[in-house]
Amino acid sequence: QSVLTQPPSVSGAPGQRVTISCTGSSSNIGAGYDVHWYQQLPGTAPKLLIYGNSNRPSGVPDRFSGSKSGTSASLAISGLQAEDEADYYCQSYDSSLSAHYVFGTGTKVTVL
Amino acid sequence: QVQLVQSGAEVKKPGASVKVSCKASGYTFTSYYMHWVRQAPGQGLEWMGIINPSGGSTSYAQKFQGRVTMTRDTSTSTVYMELSSLRSEDTAVYYCAREGVSVYGMDVWGQGTTVTVSS
């Protein structure tokens, strides 16, 4: 089971702002390891959305933003659009497990 | 352009082994580590392990220790993931994903390979 906990689902109307939390512990996020976020559209491979807690790769709209504090991180989507309907995963590094790289449980974003 | 192209779908019987390939192009193969990640039907992402294509060193998730082997062929810019003693719970889509350098995280992903384990 994953050591990074996310809400199973969040939803919002077009144009609204939604946030997804990613809660870890002192052996991963709280230890200072970076958090990355991935978007997975239905039937496709994941895509890097945010890296190093708050950085967007080239081509990712600035509607997506990330932050980190303590043992948690968050992904915010502002100006929600229909094409944002997807699964979102956080990912970090954990020093206490042999599964060094860990993913969050995943969050389904639904655009109402 | 940078891309990772994986081998095709596989159907295996319980107890068998499967070997999935991931061919890299568009960048210097030996400069980027490669992860393997799997996703069971309707489930989340699960990290399996990582390989350094330069020297071939590997690190595996404890869950897969003894059952997984990751290798590379620098002459063809290809990494391989072999999983043995397959069971039904290994039915999943298997992805290779490049670990970025200046852009950290898994910045390029393969298209995925479906492995079905069924008697």
Side-chain angles (χ1 to χ4, degrees), chain A residues 81-100:
Chain A
Q81 299 183 5
E83 58 261 36
D84 298 333
E85 188 158 293
D87 293 322
Y88 294 81
Y89 295 90
C90 59
Q91 179 253 310
S92 186
Y93 183 91
D94 193 291
S95 60
S96 70
L97 305 172
S98 61
H100 302 301

Side-chain angles (χ1 to χ4, degrees), chain A residues 38 40 45 51 89 98 101, chain B residues 39 47 59 62 104 106 109-110:
Chain A
Y38 302 86
Q40 187 176 31
Y51 70 94
Y89 295 90
S98 61
Y101 295 82
Chain B
Q39 185 171 36
W47 183 78
S59 179
Q62 185 173 32
Y104 297 103
M106 301 173 197
W109 291 67

Side-chain angles (χ1 to χ4, degrees), chain B residues 12-15 38-41 43-44 46 48 63-64 67 83-94 115-119:
Chain B
K12 296 292 183 180
K13 293 193 180 303
R38 77 177 187 178
Q39 185 171 36
Q43 302 301 307
E46 181 176 32
M48 299 181 69
K63 176 178 179 176
F64 301 103
R67 277 211 306 146
L83 189 62
S84 62
S85 302
L86 290 169
R87 36 214 189 225
S88 58
E89 310 89 88
D90 295 318
T91 294
V93 178
Y94 290 76
V115 175
T116 302
V117 183
S118 174
S119 55

